[in-house]
Amino acid sequence: MRILKFGGTSIGSVDSIRSVLEIVQKSHEYGENPMVVLSAMGGVTNLLTQLASDAAEGKNFTEGLQEMEARHFSVVKQLLAVKYQNPVFTRLKIYLNELEDLLQGIFNLRELSLQSKDLILSYGERCSAFLVSKIAEQHFPQALFVDAVQFIRTDSHFGSAHVNQPLSEQLIQAFMASNPGKLLFVTGFIAANEQGRITTLGRGGSDYTAAIIGAAMGAEAIEIWTDVDGMLTADPRIVRKAFSLPVLSYTEAMELSYFGAKVIYPPTMIPAFLKKIPIVIRNTFNPAFAGTIIQHDGGKTTLPIKGISSISDISVINLSGSGMVGKAGFSGRLFTLLAREQINVVLITQSSSEHSITFAVHPADAVRAKRLIENEFELELQANKLLEPEIENHLSVMAIVGENMKKTPGISGRLFHALGRNGINVRAIAQGSSEYNISVIIAKPDLSKALNAVHDAFFAQLNKTLHVFNVGTGNIGSTLFRQIQDQYGFLLDHNDIEIKVVGISNSRKMLFNSEGIDLGSWKEHLQQDGEQADLDGFVDRMRAMNLPNCVFIDNTASEYPIMHYEEIFRSNISIVTCNKIANSGRYSQYRLLKDTARRHGVDFFYETNVGAGLPIVRVLRDLMLSGDRIIRIEAILSGTISYIFNNFNGDVSFHDVVKNAQELGYTEPDPRDDLKGTDFMRKMLILARDAGYSLEPEDVQLGSILPDACIQAASVDEFYRELKAADDYFNDLKSEAAQGNKVLRYIGKLENGQVSIALEMVDHAHPFFALSGSDNIISFTTERYKERPLVVKGPGAGAEVTAAGVFADLVNVGA
């Protein structure tokens, strides 16, 4: 025997009722003899609650009654053959007339007792179960409507009655024995006390009805049919990556349900738990999906946790004072008081010094709990042995749950790393001795980010999502977007990384989309849908979106984004930048940014500051981290200057080489911006700082390439005239180098804490002798690479390689 329970959404419309009957039909075809337990139609219980409240307040309730009648009558007309409709209309009308009389009495008295409210609510299940049973009779002649008040007995605790399990089991078994072969459609949620008065079973009452009947009959399984694919790893409305769990233990399911998972309510599982009857959560609208089996054990799994649950709105009460220290019975006195007053405590934590107790309650109970504590401990408060209780509001509880957590090292470390890296402050922590659950209290605005970050951290088979906010859409930014789009599938398949560009800004427009901007048409969206650019507003919006695993990418050469770097780090957002200004300005700024990023546990990656896509910064960092000692660094880190001197040979003049380089786009509009060596100086300064030296820009000895007359020329045209006039100067340098079988190279050096950049002549024994094109090259001489230096060589400029360097840094964020 199987118990099939269908919730309100499963019978909320004509189509869904058809789906229910198909499920019952298939169960019957499989040779099973199911019993069907039904909730009220979706929304009807809330409607009845409102009608009761309106009547007690003297408001008109006629319109609500008409709505209820219309919903049920509409189903009859659409799903029941005309010749069978009148008896059903009559019975439903009787129910509705009884309900109207009851509401009128409440209206006249202006009083609504819990007993009266239970009776009003019972009509939701009565109407739905009767209606569906009559529709089913067309296909199953043995269908029978059953009101559960006939066999489920409770006490008189109206609103949430306690079931007399032994008596109910006897009555259920007797009823079943007297109705063999019947297909029963039973009202959920409602029961009766010993006097026959209607009671209700509280939250999750229809599930509870199914569990009570299933336990009494020793059912093979209890199937709870709802509108989701079983119990999921997290709330799918918040965590888009949440997925259905195939198996849960009773304990795991109860822990998840207690902390907010709405699929099933813990007390409903107790009868099944005691009889070890599996509970299966299925989706009425996706019946082919197997759903989740809740059973005695959690089954074999490699998942470190089973799920993440939460309560979105919670209040915390802090009680502290010296009068608590070593005071036996204090906690018992406190929590007995709260239990006596029906205040549910969600979470408790106490300091090891016994100086304070923190506990969480639902916000509606917080003020009353505080007042009760003040009355109970009035003498202690007056004697200053206790401080005034403090209420903190706007908090949430998040809990990770799973049997595999028990005795598994690193679980709490992974949890708090994910929270800390995303800047989520934990206000309180609780873990039971069973180790099935770790609960944390956090600020309510951080709940969505926390759930997504922790979900990514624990479910390694899922993709890690990086949320990118990019400033700068020039050559590098545009190329980066194309590279991300081209590599999207590869990163998902091979690196388990999903990159969502959720914010884009240039100097004119900015655009946001938390679901990700389409990189195939970002230009059109930015132009058509973007708002006026505002860098302050962009950063504020990025922080306000509060997404997990955020990365700010600076693809500009502007000083303005730099002003926000510290603020961005303090918001626990990583930065990837090709902008050199932050790291090549004053040393104090460089140090501040590095330290701020480290303190907040985020990444600051700037590989492209030095050699575009070449792995120079990362190689230096790895050498330092591994304990190697830098003896000397030599480098050519200007693709423009490299091209010029690599082509300054034979009969060609220096003037012509520079002119040709400009025409090919290798130089800035004013070639002096390259030939002065300022950009080269910034790169060497960054390397020196990363190597551990506290240098300022003026500490770099920058040798000149150009004669003073060229540098001081009033215009570009005049510069070229002066450069032509200096042909003899450059030809002499070239001739001198050639006589010694050497070549001219503009080389930066870091040695003994000193940085210098100068024009040198090197022979074939030097690693820079054979440099060609516009390549960059760097040589690391270290304790480990002393005899043969470590050399990195390759293209050091261009949108493709620079964007690739930014892309590589991005992929390594959080790695």
Side-chain angles (χ1 to χ4, degrees):
M1 179 184 202
R2 284 179 178 266
I3 310 297
L4 310 182
K5 178 266 172 179
F6 294 94
T9 55
S10 297
I11 54 171
S13 68
V14 169
D15 289 339
S16 61
I17 292 173
R18 286 195 181 105
S19 298
V20 166
L21 294 176
E22 287 175 7
I23 291 166
V24 174
Q25 176 71 40
K26 287 182 180 178
S27 178
H28 199 265
E29 288 173 356
Y30 292 152
E32 298 169 350
N33 184 28
M35 177 185 286
V36 181
V37 176
L38 297 166
S39 298
M41 291 178 71
V44 168
T45 299
N46 289 338
L47 175 61
L48 289 169
T49 302
Q50 187 62 51
L51 290 177
S53 177
D54 288 346
E57 295 173 10
K59 297 179 182 177
N60 190 294
F61 51 81
T62 305
E63 188 176 330
L65 269 177
Q66 291 172 346
E67 178 187 341
M68 183 172 172
E69 178 179 303
R71 286 194 63 186
H72 288 82
F73 280 23
S74 174
V75 172
V76 173
K77 292 173 183 176
Q78 295 182 69
L79 294 182
L80 206 60
V82 174
K83 61 182 178 180
Y84 300 125
Q85 289 181 5
N86 281 339
V88 178
F89 282 139
T90 301
R91 180 68 174 270
L92 289 174
K93 196 63 179 175
I94 290 171
Y95 280 145
L96 292 168
N97 288 340
E98 290 174 358
L99 177 59
E100 184 177 14
D101 291 343
L102 182 57
L103 289 169
Q104 187 62 50
I106 292 167
F107 179 89
N108 294 335
L109 294 172
R110 298 291 196 276
E111 181 181 346
L112 177 64
S113 66
L114 288 176
Q115 180 176 339
S116 297
K117 187 175 181 180
D118 277 3
L119 183 54
I120 289 171
L121 296 182
S122 72
Y123 284 98
E125 273 70 19
R126 287 170 167 180
C127 288
S128 66
F130 172 72
L131 173 61
V132 175
S133 72
K134 290 302 178 182
I135 296 169
E137 271 187 18
Q138 298 173 108
H139 313 284
F140 309 103
Q142 72 274 32
L144 177 67
F145 164 64
V146 181
D147 194 332
V149 299
Q150 297 178 62
F151 47 61
I152 296 183
R153 290 289 175 268
T154 69
D155 62 11
S156 298
H157 190 270
F158 296 100
S160 184
H162 304 111
V163 175
N164 183 333
Q165 196 74 29
L167 177 57
S168 296
E169 288 195 2
Q170 290 177 17
L171 294 173
I172 291 167
Q173 290 165 0
F175 182 88
M176 293 296 291
S178 62
N179 290 278
K182 294 291 186 180
L183 177 57
L184 305 180
F185 289 80
V186 184
T187 56
F189 181 56
I190 60 176
N193 64 9
E194 292 181 1
Q195 291 76 40
R197 299 282 187 177
I198 299 293
T199 59
T200 61
L201 303 180
R203 178 183 162 195
S206 293
D207 292 351
Y208 198 10
T209 301
I212 293 165
I213 296 172
M217 299 307 300
E220 177 188 346
I222 299 167
E223 296 182 0
I224 308 294
W225 290 84
T226 180
D227 57 356
V228 293
D229 289 335
M231 293 194 75
L232 278 67
T233 50
D235 187 339
R237 295 167 299 179
I238 301 174
V239 181
R240 296 293 179 88
K241 297 179 186 176
F243 59 92
S244 179
L245 293 160
V247 179
L248 284 173
S249 70
Y250 292 123
T251 304
E252 289 170 334
M254 291 182 77
E255 291 278 4
L256 285 170
S257 299
Y258 181 75
F259 282 96
K262 300 293 190 291
V263 177
I264 197 167
Y265 185 53
T268 69
M269 289 185 276
I270 293 174
F273 180 92
L274 295 173
K275 297 288 183 73
K276 295 185 179 181
I277 298 171
I279 296 174
V280 187
I281 311 297
R282 302 285 298 275
N283 189 344
T284 305
F285 309 101
N286 185 18
F289 192 79
T292 301
I293 298 174
I294 302 171
Q295 58 187 31
H296 185 67
D297 64 86
K300 293 182 179 180
T301 178
T302 58
L303 295 175
I305 65 172
K306 284 292 183 69
I308 308 164
S309 197
S310 61
I311 302 174
S312 63
D313 200 6
I314 211 77
S315 293
V316 163
I317 299 178
N318 298 306
L319 192 59
S320 60
S322 59
M324 298 166 59
V325 179
K327 187 75 171 179
F330 182 89
S331 297
R333 184 178 164 195
L334 170 63
F335 295 114
T336 298
L337 164 69
L338 298 174
R340 186 174 67 239
E341 297 297 328
Q342 300 293 307
I343 293 176
N344 182 40
V345 177
V346 176
L347 176 151
I348 306 166
T349 182
Q350 182 174 17
S351 65
S352 57
S353 65
E354 300 182 36
H355 187 267
S356 66
I357 291 177
T358 297
F359 59 94
V361 297
H362 294 289
D365 294 329
V367 173
R368 186 163 67 97
K370 180 177 185 292
R371 188 168 59 248
L372 289 167
I373 292 168
E374 289 169 343
N375 291 337
E376 177 71 21
F377 297 97
E378 183 179 5
L379 295 178
E380 289 87 342
L381 288 165
Q382 289 177 352
N384 293 322
K385 290 184 177 181
L386 283 181
L387 300 178
E388 194 74 20
E390 296 179 350
I391 299 176
E392 292 184 68
N393 295 313
H394 309 297
L395 300 173
S396 297
V397 176
M398 184 185 74
I400 58 171
V401 172
E403 290 184 347
N404 273 5
M405 291 167 56
K406 192 170 186 178
K407 298 179 182 178
T408 302
I411 294 292
S412 48
R414 198 185 306 187
L415 168 65
F416 295 117
H417 175 75
L419 295 174
R421 184 173 177 82
N422 284 280
I424 298 164
N425 185 40
V426 175
R427 312 294 289 273
I429 306 164
Q431 180 176 15
S433 58
S434 65
E435 297 186 63
Y436 286 141
N437 172 310
I438 300 176
S439 306
V440 294
I441 294 177
I442 59 177
K444 186 176 178 179
D446 287 334
L447 180 61
S448 175
K449 180 163 72 168
L451 287 169
N452 280 278
V454 173
H455 198 271
D456 271 4
F458 278 100
F459 296 107
Q461 75 273 31
L462 299 176
N463 304 311
K464 175 184 178 181
T465 300
L466 297 175
H467 294 96
V468 173
F469 294 84
N470 182 90
V471 175
T473 60
N475 286 339
I476 297 171
S478 300
T479 305
L480 174 64
F481 294 158
R482 178 175 52 75
Q483 290 178 354
I484 292 173
Q485 185 182 21
D486 290 346
Q487 291 296 108
Y488 185 85
F490 180 87
L491 287 174
L492 279 177
D493 294 340
H494 299 277
N495 297 78
D496 297 323
I497 293 174
E498 179 184 23
I499 296 176
K500 285 186 178 181
V501 178
V502 294
I504 296 176
S505 180
N506 55 28
S507 60
R508 300 171 300 281
K509 297 267 192 171
M510 62 183 186
L511 177 69
F512 300 90
N513 186 340
S514 60
E515 296 302 315
I517 297 166
D518 182 0
L519 295 183
S521 54
W522 68 268
K523 287 183 181 178
E524 293 82 357
H525 286 303
L526 183 62
Q527 182 61 36
Q528 295 169 12
D529 306 325
E531 53 194 277
Q532 184 175 352
D534 171 18
L535 186 58
D536 293 344
F538 186 87
V539 172
D540 289 343
R541 185 83 66 88
M542 174 177 67
R543 296 171 63 200
M545 287 172 74
N546 209 22
L547 297 170
N549 305 318
C550 283
V551 185
F552 177 82
I553 298 182
D554 180 6
N555 276 324
T556 74
S558 167
E559 63 183 7
Y560 296 111
I562 312 300
M563 299 175 183
H564 294 278
Y565 278 16
E566 183 183 0
E567 173 191 5
I568 291 169
F569 285 138
R570 291 184 184 278
S571 301
N572 291 83
I573 296 172
S574 296
I575 293 178
V576 171
T577 181
C578 63
N579 190 337
K580 303 179 188 68
I581 296 174
N583 290 320
S584 60
R586 307 312 302 174
Y587 180 79
S588 58
Q589 180 186 53
Y590 165 87
R591 191 72 263 159
L592 173 66
L593 295 178
K594 297 280 281 189
D595 291 344
T596 305
R598 187 182 66 254
R599 282 198 305 272
H600 288 269
V602 292
D603 293 315
F604 182 26
F605 289 155
Y606 46 88
E607 183 66 71
T608 51
N609 278 194
V610 175
L614 294 180
I616 293 174
V617 172
R618 185 167 289 112
V619 166
L620 175 59
R621 183 184 63 195
D622 290 346
L623 290 171
M624 301 283 290
L625 286 174
S626 66
D628 204 351
R629 189 177 72 83
I630 304 297
I631 298 172
R632 181 172 59 258
I633 294 176
E634 292 181 280
I636 295 175
L637 296 174
S638 168
T640 301
I641 296 175
S642 177
Y643 175 85
I644 288 170
F645 283 105
N646 287 339
N647 287 275
F648 183 41
N649 49 43
D651 295 332
V652 67
S653 70
F654 193 75
H655 168 279
D656 291 345
V657 174
V658 174
K659 191 74 172 175
N660 184 56
Q662 184 183 24
E663 290 170 353
L664 291 172
Y666 286 130
T667 74
E668 295 294 330
D670 186 339
R672 287 173 294 182
D673 292 340
D674 298 293
L675 292 168
K676 284 182 200 175
T678 305
D679 187 62
F680 195 169
M681 178 274 291
R682 289 173 177 160
K683 296 176 179 179
M684 289 301 300
L685 182 62
I686 293 168
L687 284 176
R689 289 173 171 177
D690 279 5
Y693 297 103
S694 308
L695 298 180
E696 299 291 354
E698 57 267 24
D699 295 330
V700 178
Q701 301 171 32
L702 182 59
S704 177
I705 295 174
L706 301 171
D708 289 342
C710 294
I711 294 174
Q712 294 166 8
S715 66
V716 174
D717 288 341
E718 185 179 337
F719 158 71
Y720 274 115
R721 285 195 293 271
E722 292 294 341
L723 195 61
K724 186 68 174 175
D727 271 350
D728 289 344
Y729 168 76
F730 288 105
N731 287 334
D732 288 344
L733 288 174
K734 182 170 60 173
S735 297
E736 182 184 348
Q739 288 173 6
N741 292 319
K742 296 179 179 180
V743 292
L744 293 170
R745 297 288 183 258
Y746 194 54
I747 299 174
K749 288 184 180 179
L750 168 64
E751 192 168 14
N752 298 322
Q754 302 294 315
V755 176
S756 62
I757 305 173
L759 190 60
E760 297 186 25
M761 299 178 187
V762 299
D763 60 21
H764 68 278
H766 196 284
F768 296 177
F769 179 84
L771 195 65
S772 62
S774 60
D775 281 358
N776 283 2
I777 190 168
I778 187 165
S779 167
F780 296 97
T781 303
T782 72
E783 286 292 345
R784 295 176 189 154
Y785 295 92
K786 187 180 293 184
E787 300 301 324
R788 300 185 65 186
L790 173 62
V791 176
V792 178
K793 174 186 173 184
E800 285 291 339
V801 292
T802 304
V806 173
F807 195 179
D809 276 348
L810 172 60
V811 171
N812 279 289
V813 167

